[in-house]
């Protein structure tokens, strides 16, 4: 398949090294152009948890067009790569699927050396942390990453979007070959199947996402619902963003600091969402307007007590309320959980939910890994069928060239005096027969010599079937 991946992630390298190897911003565009000089296309995936280079090893030597693009040290392995490439292409016809192991290894070394030079780090310092996969192992790794099976948070969906962004960057730089583009399409389709056909991403495993999940379990008709955000800190910002993203029609922000509240309001406002900012002292009045309450203030005192909640319920005519208390110490009186029509969840309650969900994801990951293995086999088979078409074209072109040569020689002889056309045609027929039967005869002798009875039977029966077809 010629696919290789070289990289580091949160499992193999500390954050200090991942920071130094990160490829972001303009670095990615420059890197893609430089890697293009010695690959058949590449994609760079760089996030807070991983930096990976996915690339296709080229069929032929890639030293051409390299001068002026790479440093002297990056050029040092070109001759080794060229020699490895030539060793795998001595024959007139060679399968597009058969690239020598030495050639692939040489290109992997080249990519490693390039990465070290590009980031101005000694290769000896980063090599112990780099992992390398090739061919179907590289495909398996890419699919596991895209499906969230290799993420720090098992099953998280963000990585697939990050990979798509990386692919768009490669497309913008015009460094994607047709073959790599085909592989990428297969990876995206397979990752979608893994997420749709297993439960690996079905359960919430972050506080903010778990809070949003609770909202969907308790309320429908979200555009008619109101979210009350008590305190505009980072945790509440994440919760509010997730819940607002569900389509909640109104958000009220109560905060001591009006500037921070206005900043959060600006993030949450949308064409179908109204966002109001109120001072924290108005909390008792606005509580009755809220269907959903998320509080995380850091205050040492309760902000919402039982009496305030009962009064709010009366004004709401006892319509249900969901209260999420993410604060430690707590912002909401725990005795409120005994009130009918109020669903109160503390940070510990959410952690218990998350812990159970993580275990469910781990169990679902077993099914997901099995599906990944099956999908890789399917993709590899489709790849082989796709590639053999090119091999057949190349084989036919090679054979046609030999036939044309023999025909040209025979026509030239026919133009000579004192020649027998019958003899020339007979000789042409004999040489054509030798030419067309040479390759299968050589393959049968090789199979017999090596004791490969299955291959021998396959070739013989295939040729017999072909002759019967005529």
């Amino acid at each position: 398949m010629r696919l290789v991946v070289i990289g580091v992630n949160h499992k193999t390298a500390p954050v200090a090294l991942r920071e130094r190897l990160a490829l972001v911003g303009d670095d990615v565009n420059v890197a893609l152009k430089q890697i293009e000089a010695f690959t058949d296309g590449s994609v760079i995936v760089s996030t807070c948890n991983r930096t990976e280079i996915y690339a296709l090893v080229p069929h032929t030597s890639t030293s051409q067009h390299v001068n002026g693009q790479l440093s002297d040290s990056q050029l040092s392995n070109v001759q080794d790569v060229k020699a490895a490439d030539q060793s795998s292409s001595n024959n007139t016809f060679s399968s597009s699927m058969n690239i020598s192991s030495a050639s692939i290894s040489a290109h992997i070394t080249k990519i490693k050396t390039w990465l070290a030079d590009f980031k101005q780090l000694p290769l000896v310092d980063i090599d112990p942390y780099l992992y390398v996969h090739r061919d179907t192992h590289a495909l398996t790794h890419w699919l596991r990453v895209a499906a969230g099976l290799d993420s720090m948070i098992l099953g998280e969906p963000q990585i697939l979007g990050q990979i798509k962004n990386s692919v768009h960057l490669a497309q913008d730089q015009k460094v994607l070959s047709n073959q790599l583009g085909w592989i990428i399409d297969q990876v995206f389709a397979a990752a979608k199947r893994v997420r749709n056909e297993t439960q690996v991403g079905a359960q919430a495993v972050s506080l903010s996402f778990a809070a949003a999940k609770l909202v969907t379990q308790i309320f429908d008709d979200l555009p008619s619902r109101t979210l009350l955000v008590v305190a505009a800190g980072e945790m509440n910002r994440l919760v509010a963003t997730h819940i607002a993203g569900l389509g909640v029609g109104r958000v009220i922000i109560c905060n001591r600091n009006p500037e921070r509240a206005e900043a959060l309001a600006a993030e949450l406002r949308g064409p179908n969402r109204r966002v109001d900012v109120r001072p924290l002292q108005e909390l008792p009045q606005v509580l009755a307007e809220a269907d959903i309450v998320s509080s995380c203030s850091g205050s040492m005192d309760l902000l919402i007590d039982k009496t305030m909640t009962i009064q709010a319920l009366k004004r709401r005519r006892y319509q249900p309320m969901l209260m999420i208390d993410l604060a430690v110490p707590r912002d909401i009186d725990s005795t409120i959980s005994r009130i009918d029509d109020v669903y109160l969840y503390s940070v510990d309650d959410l952690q218990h939910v998350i812990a159970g969900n993580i275990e469910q994801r781990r169990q679902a990951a077993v099914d997901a890994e099995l599906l990944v293995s099956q999908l890789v086999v399917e993709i590899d088979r489709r790849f082989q069928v796709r590639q053999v078409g090119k091999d057949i074209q190349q084989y036919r072109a090679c054979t046609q060239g030999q036939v044309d040569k023999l025909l040209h020689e025979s026509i030239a002889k026919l133009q000579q005096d004192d020649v027998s056309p019958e003899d020339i045609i007979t000789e042409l027929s004999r040489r054509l027969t030798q030419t067309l039967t040479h390759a299968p005869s050589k393959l049968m002798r090789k199979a017999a010599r090596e004791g490969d009875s299955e291959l021998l039977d396959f070739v013989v029966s295939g040729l017999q079937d072909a002759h019967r077809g005529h």
Side-chain angles (χ1 to χ4, degrees):
M1 184 171 282
R2 301 190 291 127
L3 178 66
V4 298
V5 57
I6 297 98
V8 295
N9 63 20
H10 58 283
K11 299 175 184 177
T12 68
V15 64
L17 181 59
R18 298 203 306 272
E19 288 174 341
R20 299 183 71 183
L21 289 176
L23 293 164
V24 295
D26 291 338
D27 277 0
V28 177
N29 295 332
V30 176
L32 287 169
K33 281 299 187 183
Q34 290 191 4
I35 297 174
E36 184 186 20
F38 50 91
T39 65
D40 272 357
S42 63
V43 173
I44 294 174
V45 177
S46 189
T47 71
C48 57
N49 286 328
R50 69 181 65 247
T51 292
E52 295 179 330
I53 300 169
Y54 296 87
L56 281 185
V57 173
H59 288 297
T60 56
S61 176
T62 55
S63 58
Q64 55 187 355
H65 309 308
V66 172
N67 290 334
Q69 295 186 46
L70 304 177
S71 66
D72 290 342
S73 58
Q74 287 172 324
L75 285 167
S76 61
N77 292 322
V78 168
Q79 295 303 321
D80 291 338
V81 174
K82 185 175 181 180
D85 286 327
Q86 289 175 340
S87 70
S88 65
S89 58
N90 289 331
N91 296 328
T92 305
F93 168 75
S94 61
S95 170
S96 61
M97 293 181 287
N98 294 331
I99 305 298
S100 73
S101 177
S103 176
I104 294 176
S105 297
H107 278 84
I108 288 171
T109 300
K110 187 168 182 58
I111 294 173
K112 286 183 177 181
T113 303
W114 169 85
L115 178 62
D117 288 354
F118 189 82
K119 301 304 293 186
Q120 298 181 343
L121 294 169
L123 178 58
V124 67
D125 289 350
I126 68 172
D127 198 39
Y129 300 95
L130 293 172
Y131 48 79
V132 175
H133 303 291
R134 58 173 75 184
D135 296 322
T136 54
H137 295 291
L139 179 62
T140 300
H141 176 80
W142 204 348
L143 181 47
R144 292 187 71 255
V145 172
L149 295 174
D150 196 55
S151 297
M152 182 178 290
I153 300 176
L154 180 64
E156 57 92 6
Q158 287 81 10
I159 184 62
L160 183 57
Q162 291 167 329
I163 293 175
K164 288 182 177 179
N165 289 338
S166 299
V167 170
H168 291 154
L169 288 175
Q171 289 172 332
D172 291 342
Q173 294 299 313
K174 296 179 172 55
V175 297
L176 284 188
S177 61
N178 290 336
Q179 182 170 315
L180 184 57
W182 183 88
I183 292 173
I184 290 168
D185 289 342
Q186 305 307 305
V187 169
F188 286 161
K192 184 177 180 180
R193 280 192 59 183
V194 172
R195 298 195 68 83
N196 288 343
E197 297 179 21
T198 71
Q199 298 296 308
V200 70
Q203 305 297 331
V205 292
S206 69
L207 288 175
S208 55
F209 190 56
K213 194 77 171 178
L214 285 175
V215 173
T216 62
Q217 292 172 352
I218 295 173
F219 296 106
D220 52 14
D221 191 22
L222 291 177
S224 68
R225 303 296 176 178
T226 296
L227 166 65
L228 172 60
V229 180
V230 182
E234 178 62 20
M235 178 55 72
N236 245 3
R237 186 188 71 79
L238 293 173
V239 172
T241 300
H242 273 83
I243 296 177
L246 298 174
V248 170
R250 185 186 177 202
V251 179
I252 303 171
I253 303 173
C254 282
N255 195 57
R256 288 191 178 92
N257 185 324
E259 289 79 13
R260 177 175 286 185
E262 288 292 351
L264 178 57
E267 291 184 34
L268 299 179
R269 284 193 180 98
N272 298 312
R273 184 180 307 113
R274 172 184 165 191
V275 181
D276 299 320
V277 174
R278 302 284 186 85
L280 190 62
Q281 54 266 33
E282 292 186 17
L283 179 58
Q285 288 74 45
V286 300
L287 184 61
E289 302 176 39
D291 302 290
I292 308 153
V293 180
S294 177
S295 187
C296 187
S297 72
S299 171
M300 299 303 293
D301 301 315
L302 289 175
L303 299 184
I304 300 175
D305 59 27
K306 190 172 183 179
T307 301
M308 187 189 306
T309 304
I310 292 174
Q311 292 174 349
L313 275 174
K314 287 180 180 178
R315 292 172 57 194
R316 291 174 52 81
R317 297 185 180 181
Y318 298 97
Q319 295 181 59
M321 298 178 71
L322 169 62
M323 292 186 170
I324 302 168
D325 188 356
L326 301 175
V328 179
R330 286 178 283 193
D331 287 341
I332 303 174
D333 187 346
S334 61
T335 61
I336 290 174
S337 61
R338 303 185 192 129
I339 301 175
D340 291 340
D341 302 314
V342 176
Y343 302 91
L344 174 62
Y345 287 83
S346 69
V347 66
D348 285 348
D349 295 328
L350 291 181
Q351 291 286 11
H352 288 314
V353 171
I354 291 171
N357 290 349
I358 290 175
E359 182 55 34
Q360 290 183 41
R361 281 198 178 188
R362 289 198 184 103
Q363 294 173 8
V366 176
D367 295 332
E369 295 284 6
L370 179 60
L371 181 55
V372 165
S373 299
Q374 295 171 348
L375 291 172
V376 167
V377 171
E378 292 177 12
I379 294 171
D380 186 48
R381 285 175 179 169
R382 289 197 294 271
F383 175 81
Q384 304 290 356
V385 171
R386 187 173 185 267
Q387 287 302 111
V388 80
K390 297 179 181 179
D391 293 334
I392 291 171
Q393 290 178 354
Q394 185 180 350
Y395 177 71
R396 285 179 173 174
C398 179
T399 303
Q400 186 63 52
Q402 294 173 314
V403 170
D404 290 344
K405 179 176 179 291
L406 294 176
L407 183 60
H408 179 76
E409 292 174 355
S410 297
I411 292 174
K413 289 179 180 179
L414 284 171
Q415 294 174 350
Q416 299 174 3
D417 296 332
D418 300 327
V419 295
S420 169
E422 291 81 2
D423 291 344
I424 292 175
I425 293 174
T426 301
E427 176 66 11
L428 174 61
S429 176
R430 184 187 67 79
R431 294 180 68 185
L432 283 174
T433 301
Q434 287 182 333
T435 298
L436 296 176
T437 60
H438 174 71
S441 299
K442 183 178 179 181
L443 181 59
M444 284 189 285
R445 283 194 295 269
K446 181 175 184 294
R449 188 166 53 249
E450 295 179 358
D452 192 341
S453 58
E454 289 187 8
L455 176 60
L456 182 59
D457 291 342
F458 177 78
V459 174
V460 171
S461 61
L463 291 173
Q464 290 173 344
D465 290 342
H467 285 298
R468 278 195 293 269
H470 291 288

